[in-house]
Amino acid sequence: MVTPRLQSISDEPDTEPHRAPVTTSTQTPIVAPVERSFDIVLIAAVLLLLVIGTVEVFSASAVLGFKRHGDSMYFVKRQMMWIVLGSGVLWFSANTGYQWLRRWTYPLLAVTLLLLVAVLFSRPVNGAKRWFLLGPMSFQPVEIAKLALVGYLAYSLSKKADKVKQFTIGFVPHILVCAVMMGLLLMQPDLGSSVILGTTTLILLFVAGAKLSYLLLAVLAAAPVAYMLIVGTPWRMQRFLAFFNPEAYSLGVAYQSVQASIAIGSGGFTGLGLGEGRQQLGYMLEGHNDYIMASVGEELGFVGFALVIALFAVIVWRGIRAAVGARDIFGSYVAFGITVTFAIQALINTGVVLGALPAKGLTLPFVSYGGSSLLMAMFFAGLLLNIGRRAPARSRRRELVNRVGGARRRRPKAVIVVPR
């Protein structure tokens, strides 16, 4: 009896006889990282916010710039200068691997703590010691503190992944570092930024898997401190009372809040039009800065206000997307920490303008007039772009095909050949 033998016959000639055979194993092939494209949606959202912010900064500060500096375009010129510098910062952070933040975690943390201490000996501005004055420019170390804290939490949580649930290893060190930063910020004083750092820390610990009982313990421990900071400080107590009855303090601590409510109410659904706002005629002094959303609401109405909120929602969405699709757990924590920082700051700023939160001196990222705050916001956006770079499906498929055997070919057919 003749035993048949199997012979593989391909429909196409094998022009590359030395090519490695295609594996049929069920194991996933190891593929080198492919070149990824930047997140166009995130870039578009950031650019739109910058455009809206630049227009509103000019509209809200033209009268103020003319009165103080004799130039109605004084503030918008400086804003455009910061945007140009920020564009370079964004490009650098988007094209430089974010792993440098892992290597420089502790040096950056040490420098940040030194800056937060040094600023306490600086010259006060409006009763607060938050800025280093460098000639015509100023710098807030709290912006560096945001990056340092997020980098430290990402590095530590990724390193202690299996010990996060332990109280002394996974919870106490992170809370202590955050508490030291918050304490230095409260000495400036800067309650708003300290709230951002504390909330970011708790949310990242929650995402990392820390026990809810530990997080609740931290909140309960901070409650008496917050109570003493409010009750024990006269001007904070006045702001707290003005939150519930702004009309009674309309000529004092609630002046800006009342003017913001008037501006938003007069804007209606579609607004009064660009340059037609009335509160910018000397009634609202911070209309280009902390209360920029009041200017947006007055001139662009509910439509413009909702558009800005929607753009921040897009940034949060793309930030979470970048965190979920990051190449490593460190990058995932960094992206999530940056996203949480953006979300909390935008939420607090908008809540203050709408009268839903007590007054806090916080800018709106990408929109408010600012120097170091705008630069750091664009640096954070570049980090999100760097972490969230993704490859299109076709490019990824082509890379897989090239790795396992070149161009796609029909699967060889097995036929039975019986010799005569």
Side-chain angles (χ1 to χ4, degrees):
M1 181 177 181
V2 179
T3 303
R5 54 188 177 86
L6 294 178
Q7 179 180 357
S8 178
I9 302 177
S10 176
D11 295 338
E12 300 176 1
D14 191 356
T15 57
E16 298 179 355
H18 300 291
R19 177 182 297 168
V22 179
T23 178
T24 57
S25 173
T26 57
Q27 297 179 354
T28 303
I30 299 176
V31 181
V34 298
E35 184 179 356
R36 298 181 175 184
S37 59
F38 288 115
D39 190 344
I40 302 300
V41 177
L42 178 59
I43 295 175
V46 171
L47 289 179
L48 283 175
L49 286 175
L50 289 174
V51 170
I52 294 174
T54 303
V55 173
E56 286 301 324
V57 165
F58 172 64
S59 179
S61 65
V63 175
L64 182 64
F66 184 78
K67 286 183 178 180
R68 290 185 179 180
H69 307 281
D71 184 5
S72 60
M73 298 190 67
Y74 175 81
F75 289 100
V76 73
K77 286 178 181 178
R78 293 171 64 88
Q79 182 77 349
M80 293 179 69
M81 177 191 70
W82 289 117
I83 290 177
V84 172
L85 294 176
S87 300
V89 169
L90 187 149
W91 180 88
F92 174 81
S93 60
N95 289 277
T96 304
Y98 59 88
Q99 294 298 332
W100 68 267
L101 187 58
R102 182 201 296 269
R103 298 189 297 269
W104 289 88
T105 294
Y106 289 107
L108 180 61
L109 186 62
V111 170
T112 299
L113 294 176
L114 290 176
L115 290 175
L116 290 177
V117 173
V119 78
L120 298 176
F121 300 93
S122 64
R123 188 177 66 184
V125 178
N126 296 329
K129 298 180 179 180
R130 305 177 186 176
W131 298 270
F132 288 113
L133 301 179
L134 307 173
M137 299 183 296
S138 61
F139 165 72
Q140 281 187 285
V142 66
E143 301 300 333
I144 301 295
K146 296 175 184 177
L147 175 64
L149 182 62
V150 169
Y152 164 74
L153 291 174
Y155 174 78
S156 183
L157 291 174
S158 61
K159 187 178 179 181
K160 304 173 182 177
D162 56 340
K163 300 179 181 179
V164 173
K165 293 184 178 296
Q166 298 183 21
F167 182 77
T168 56
I169 298 178
F171 181 76
V172 173
H174 310 109
I175 291 297
L176 284 179
V177 171
C178 178
V180 171
M181 285 190 176
M182 292 178 64
L184 293 174
L185 289 174
L186 290 174
M187 294 173 65
Q188 295 180 3
D190 189 355
L191 180 59
S193 296
S194 63
V195 170
I196 292 177
L197 296 186
T199 308
T200 301
T201 300
L202 292 178
I203 292 178
L204 277 179
L205 286 173
F206 173 77
V207 172
K211 291 184 178 181
L212 289 176
S213 58
Y214 298 161
L215 302 179
L216 181 60
L217 178 64
V219 174
L220 292 177
V225 178
Y227 174 80
M228 293 303 300
L229 289 174
I230 295 175
V231 177
T233 309
W235 58 270
R236 283 201 183 106
M237 188 63 184
Q238 286 188 356
R239 285 187 176 184
F240 185 75
L241 295 175
F243 169 69
F244 295 99
N245 188 11
E247 289 77 12
Y249 298 86
S250 59
L251 298 180
V253 294
Y255 176 80
Q256 290 285 90
S257 300
V258 171
Q259 297 301 319
S261 299
I262 295 174
I264 294 175
S266 62
F269 186 77
T270 58
L272 303 178
L274 292 176
E276 299 297 328
R278 302 184 182 93
Q279 296 301 311
Q280 290 86 304
L281 301 177
Y283 297 100
M284 186 181 298
L285 300 180
E286 298 295 332
H288 63 295
N289 201 350
D290 299 344
Y291 284 83
I292 189 71
M293 284 297 282
S295 302
V296 173
E298 184 179 22
E299 296 190 351
L300 302 179
F302 173 80
V303 175
F305 202 97
L307 175 61
V308 173
I309 298 299
L311 290 174
F312 274 105
V314 170
I315 291 178
V316 172
W317 163 42
R318 306 307 284 188
I320 295 176
R321 179 178 180 269
V324 172
R327 298 174 183 174
D328 55 14
I329 190 65
F330 173 77
S332 180
Y333 283 136
V334 171
F336 199 83
I338 292 173
T339 303
V340 170
T341 301
F342 279 148
I344 296 174
Q345 189 165 345
L347 183 64
I348 293 178
N349 180 276
T350 307
V352 169
V353 171
L354 291 176
L357 293 173
K360 293 288 182 296
L362 287 176
T363 59
L364 187 64
F366 307 111
V367 183
S368 293
Y369 171 80
S372 56
S373 60
L374 181 59
L375 288 180
M376 187 53 62
M378 298 186 74
F379 184 83
F380 277 164
L383 280 179
L384 285 182
L385 289 172
N386 191 302
I387 297 172
R389 295 182 71 176
R390 295 177 176 272
R394 292 182 179 178
S395 298
R396 187 178 298 275
R397 183 174 59 210
R398 189 180 303 113
E399 179 69 18
L400 286 170
V401 170
N402 292 336
R403 287 282 175 178
V404 298
R408 294 182 63 182
R409 298 183 300 168
R410 296 181 183 179
R411 189 173 182 179
K413 300 177 182 179
V415 297
I416 299 176
V417 180
V418 180
R420 297 179 179 179

